[in-house]
Structure formats: C-alpha cells, structure tokens
Amino acid sequence: MQPFHLNRQPNWCKLLELPKLQAKHHIFKVQPTISRGNEGLVHHIAVYKCHINPNRTVVPHGHPGHECYTPNMPQDWSECYRGVLIAAWAVGTGDVTFPDHVGYPIGDEDDAEQVLLEIHYDNPLLKEGMTDSSGLTFLYTPKLRQHDA
C-alpha cells in the first residue's frame, strides 16, 4: 500500500471487490488483520456491503483509497453507507464467529460484489508517511447455514 498522511483521527475509506462466486455462500467468521506496527493506530474498522451500481467509481488495484467524508472520496461511494454493515472490529475485540446455524450471505443474485472498508485511526503523534494494509478477513463456505444473518 502507498504511504499516506493522517491527521489526528481520520477515517480512511477504500472500495473493495468481494470474490466473484457462482452461487450463494455464507460468511461464518470475521478476523481482524492489523498491520504489524500499526496496532496502536488502528482504532476501529467497519465494512459496508454496497448496493448494486454498475457505474460506481472503481479505483485501480493498489490505490490507497481516500479519506472518508471529504470531497476527495468519490461521491458514489457514500451510497454504500445505505447498504448493510456486515462486519465491525474495535480495539479490544477479536474474531467474530457466527452461530453454527447462521451465516452472512454473499454471492447471491442481489450481491453487488463490492464493500466499503472504513478504518478509523487514532494518530495522536501525527505520524507521517505511514502505510497500512489492515482490514478484516472473511471466512466463508458454500455450505449454507439454516439462517441468513
């Protein structure tokens, strides 16, 4: 990931593609992945499932994203906030595992295959030139569970 400047408490957004699946799957576990050395900077993470929009602004792979809620963030990314919050993590929490009979659906006909990753940093020392590839890892299965989350 490219270095980027962080002010005191920025929210950083990045549009990500979900895997292209041929059929419905269920997410059954969400694991935080915090970049080594950034454990004290990453405060919380939220992932929003976007609604289908074939014209949504997509940035090249490796693009660092944009500061959320600013004119630099593509305006159509804000649509994702009207989607569903599918995962969240905050300091002090660990993995989130769904009950055995519940899974979050992805890959069905209503899937936009895009999520908005929002990471909130706490940067009291105003570190500059930092890089970060923190996020959440979704574990999913084609074996559907009894209920959708």
Side-chain angles (χ1 to χ4, degrees):
M1 197 175 224
Q2 299 294 320
F4 54 93
H5 174 74
L6 293 177
N7 59 28
R8 173 72 169 83
Q9 292 186 322
N11 289 313
W12 201 259
C13 284
K14 187 169 184 174
L15 190 70
L16 301 170
E17 299 288 325
L18 289 173
K20 302 226 183 289
L21 303 171
Q22 300 302 313
K24 180 178 175 178
H25 286 57
H26 271 156
I27 296 172
F28 62 89
K29 188 173 195 174
V30 180
Q31 298 174 315
T33 307
I34 309 303
S35 296
R36 185 180 302 258
N38 291 349
E39 296 88 349
L41 293 172
V42 178
H43 186 266
H44 63 270
I45 301 172
V47 178
Y48 299 88
K49 188 173 182 184
C50 304
H51 292 295
I52 295 172
N53 178 351
N55 300 315
R56 186 172 292 114
T57 305
V58 179
V59 295
H61 180 72
H63 188 279
H66 298 278
E67 191 166 354
C68 308
Y69 315 107
T70 66
N72 289 335
M73 184 177 105
Q75 190 173 17
D76 56 359
W77 288 13
S78 296
E79 297 171 2
C80 298
Y81 291 118
R82 292 191 297 266
V84 177
L85 176 67
I86 62 172
W89 172 88
V91 173
T93 61
D95 297 353
V96 174
T97 303
F98 288 90
D100 290 339
H101 62 288
V102 177
Y104 187 85
I106 58 172
D108 58 8
E109 65 276 354
D110 297 325
D111 196 349
E113 299 177 344
Q114 293 175 324
V115 294
L116 183 67
L117 171 73
E118 180 180 318
I119 302 179
H120 179 88
Y121 295 93
D122 186 14
N123 187 18
L125 301 178
L126 299 176
K127 284 185 171 183
E128 293 206 27
M130 72 170 278
T131 59
D132 186 52
S133 57
S134 297
L136 298 176
T137 300
F138 295 144
L139 303 181
Y140 58 93
T141 178
K143 185 178 178 190
L144 299 181
R145 295 175 170 210
Q146 184 179 1
H147 299 288
D148 288 347

